[in-house]
Amino acid sequence: MSSSASSVVNGGISFWYTDDGLPAVREPLSGDASADVVIIGGGYTGLWTAYYLKKAAPFLRITVLEQKFCGYGASGRNGGWLYNGVAGRDRYARLHGHEAAVRLQKAMNDTVAEVIAVAGAEGIEADVHRGGVLEVATTPAQLARLKAFHEHELAYGEKDRELYGARETAERIRIADAVGSTWTPHGARLHPVKLVKGLAAVVEALGVTIHESTPVTEIRPKHAVTPYGTVRAPYVLRCTEGFTASLRGQKRTWLPMNSSMIATEPLTEEQWESIGWAGRETLGDMAHAYMYAQRTADGRIALGGRGVPYRFGSRTDNDGRTQAATVEALREILTRFFPSLAGVRVAHAWSGVLGVPRDWCATVTLDRSTGLGWAGGYVGSGVATTNLAARTLRDLVQQDSGQGGRTELTDLPWVGHKVRKWEPEPFRWLGVHGMYATYRTADRRERLRPGTASSRLARIADRVAGRH
């Protein structure tokens, strides 16, 4: 049976909430309050930060303010890729030296194991399967990029990464036209909502106060302002990722980039046997407009990519609804990769936003003169990076308050990084839409005109984007 638009559950935040259920919303702030640390945003960054701070200093009074409910944003809508990628590593190598970037990469490698270990220790059942990350090439140009990428990762100390040819790739997963792949053990599949729900419950049990349905409209030194009152604290930490643009004075700080996903109906055993994927690796490709996918615990394929990449004026959606054309584009990727699944029904589609700085570099900062801190700009690599960012924010707060000194994490090159703001509209909208249209055209040209050289169009888009 083929998929029809009318049969697809579209929105509802994400498939992950359809699968696990929407949470009961916690009480909003009921008036002015005080704390030692106030955290804005109840996603992975905010909750991990609250967790590590409370574990390190149980006496701290910590309040988390969330505009909807914990996990409403990217933390409840992502692809469930817990992996070791970090946005901006090459730029940090240029700015701070290769060895500094190697330290950042090692910290990310360790972070994958850290998240798995904490989830296990705290009894958070998040469907974690550590199958690593497999990234495939399906054209000669993609294969050339894949081999270069593989060597690049080895140069950053990832000695346990493996490179496969077409036959070895097919032994792991049978993707039409796959000519090679690279695999790292530093990755796992998980259920994003089960992780964020479990983390919120653990944090609350530690004594952290969480107020939901409490939008923060303005952040200033020692103050988090909401319609229901102001929370005063020596430290105010902004952990709002793709929703940062909604705060006063932050519209051009990070661009809310849209990413969309589909989830199929559960596949039969015969269908799984036809495509392999027994290792349940998280799956990506080397296209310029890349895809990402996982084999879910209940036997579906959840697959994502950039649909409509950006909404004018840095707007964000409410319920995750996705355009029909985007659903069809993602379905086309699914059936191009796995032709035997042409009749599989797409059961759910959704979208969400991630935070993109102008130089595509994730950052962690604490301004010691004001007590204002922030972390984010993960550019789609946030499931693991949020954890490293949270532990770094913990160390920065402890250092500033006299509870600790410099640590390996506070010395990482992404700490304190400054970046210019995005251009005003309409240049922001024109630039982002033009960039992704160019990437998609480059991918089509590479499929139609086989050759080992990457399309010049993609190199032009990279320069416009500020990625290099």
Side-chain angles (χ1 to χ4, degrees), residues 19 169 214 394:
D19 183 50
T169 301
T214 305
R394 170 202 62 194

Side-chain angles (χ1 to χ4, degrees), residues 86 193 210 216 271 313 327 358 441:
V86 57
V193 162
I210 301 176
V216 173
Q271 287 169 325
V327 177
R358 188 61 184 88
T441 301

Side-chain angles (χ1 to χ4, degrees), residues 178-367:
V179 290
S181 61
T182 180
W183 175 83
T184 176
H186 301 292
R189 172 216 72 193
L190 55 74
H191 189 300
V193 162
K194 290 181 180 180
L195 177 61
V196 76
K197 281 184 176 180
L199 188 55
V202 167
V203 163
E204 205 165 37
L206 288 173
V208 172
T209 300
I210 301 176
H211 291 298
E212 297 180 325
S213 301
T214 305
V216 173
T217 55
E218 183 181 4
I219 296 172
R220 57 178 187 262
K222 298 181 173 53
H223 295 76
V225 181
T226 85
Y228 307 113
T230 297
V231 180
R232 291 169 174 80
Y235 298 101
V236 182
L237 307 180
R238 189 186 80 221
C239 303
T240 48
E241 188 57 354
F243 291 88
T244 300
S246 64
L247 293 165
R248 185 175 299 175
Q250 303 293 336
K251 186 168 284 289
R252 292 165 54 197
T253 299
W254 291 332
L255 184 137
M257 184 78 75
N258 207 50
S259 199
S260 300
M261 294 197 70
I262 57 172
T264 68
E265 63 187 345
L267 304 190
T268 65
E269 284 301 316
E270 292 75 19
Q271 287 169 325
W272 281 119
E273 284 184 19
S274 75
I275 65 175
W277 210 347
R280 291 166 172 78
E281 304 90 343
T282 54
L283 176 67
D285 73 350
M286 299 305 293
H288 301 293
Y290 54 84
M291 58 75 72
Y292 51 94
Q294 68 148 284
R295 176 175 174 170
T296 68
D298 66 344
R300 304 168 191 265
I301 294 176
L303 180 149
R306 301 290 183 266
V308 177
Y310 173 69
R311 296 167 186 257
F312 191 88
S314 292
R315 294 197 305 273
T316 56
D317 73 89
N318 289 319
D319 68 352
R321 283 191 63 81
T322 299
Q323 290 188 341
T326 298
V327 177
E328 284 307 308
L330 294 173
R331 179 178 173 75
E332 189 274 329
I333 294 172
L334 175 73
T335 55
R336 175 155 44 86
F337 271 45
F338 306 113
S340 65
L341 302 184
V344 169
R345 185 175 69 88
V346 172
H348 206 119
W350 71 99
S351 295
V353 293
L354 48 100
V356 181
R358 188 61 184 88
D359 64 356
W360 301 71
C361 289
T363 57
V364 183
T365 298
L366 178 67
D367 184 340

Side-chain angles (χ1 to χ4, degrees), residues 324-464:
T326 298
V327 177
E328 284 307 308
L330 294 173
R331 179 178 173 75
E332 189 274 329
I333 294 172
L334 175 73
T335 55
R336 175 155 44 86
F337 271 45
F338 306 113
S340 65
L341 302 184
V344 169
R345 185 175 69 88
V346 172
H348 206 119
W350 71 99
S351 295
V353 293
L354 48 100
V356 181
R358 188 61 184 88
D359 64 356
W360 301 71
C361 289
T363 57
V364 183
T365 298
L366 178 67
D367 184 340
R368 301 185 72 170
S369 68
T370 64
L372 296 177
W374 58 88
Y378 306 121
V379 195
S381 300
V383 180
T385 315
T386 50
N387 179 278
L388 179 60
R391 286 182 284 129
T392 306
L393 277 175
R394 170 202 62 194
D395 288 0
L396 290 169
V397 168
Q398 288 206 285
Q399 179 185 3
D400 185 72
S401 63
Q403 300 295 317
R406 286 174 56 177
T407 68
E408 290 183 2
L409 299 186
T410 62
D411 285 342
L412 289 174
W414 68 335
V415 175
H417 178 72
K418 294 181 174 60
V419 61
R420 67 184 174 91
K421 291 183 179 293
W422 281 88
E423 291 79 2
E425 297 291 22
F427 304 107
R428 196 158 69 240
W429 187 91
L430 291 169
V432 174
H433 280 261
M435 175 182 70
Y436 273 98
T438 303
Y439 282 141
R440 286 190 286 268
T441 301
D443 286 329
R444 283 195 298 272
R445 286 190 177 185
E446 290 178 4
R447 286 199 299 271
L448 294 172
R449 305 174 191 173
T452 58
S454 292
S455 169
R456 285 181 296 175
L457 286 174
R459 293 197 294 273
I460 292 169
D462 282 343
R463 285 197 294 271
V464 171

Side-chain angles (χ1 to χ4, degrees), residues 90-122:
D90 289 350
R91 189 179 295 271
Y92 288 130
R94 292 194 296 272
L95 291 172
H96 300 278
H98 181 73
E99 286 308 310
V102 169
R103 287 190 288 109
L104 179 60
Q105 184 59 64
K106 183 182 184 304
M108 281 304 309
N109 296 348
D110 295 342
T111 294
V112 173
E114 168 74 8
V115 172
I116 295 171
V118 173
E122 297 292 355

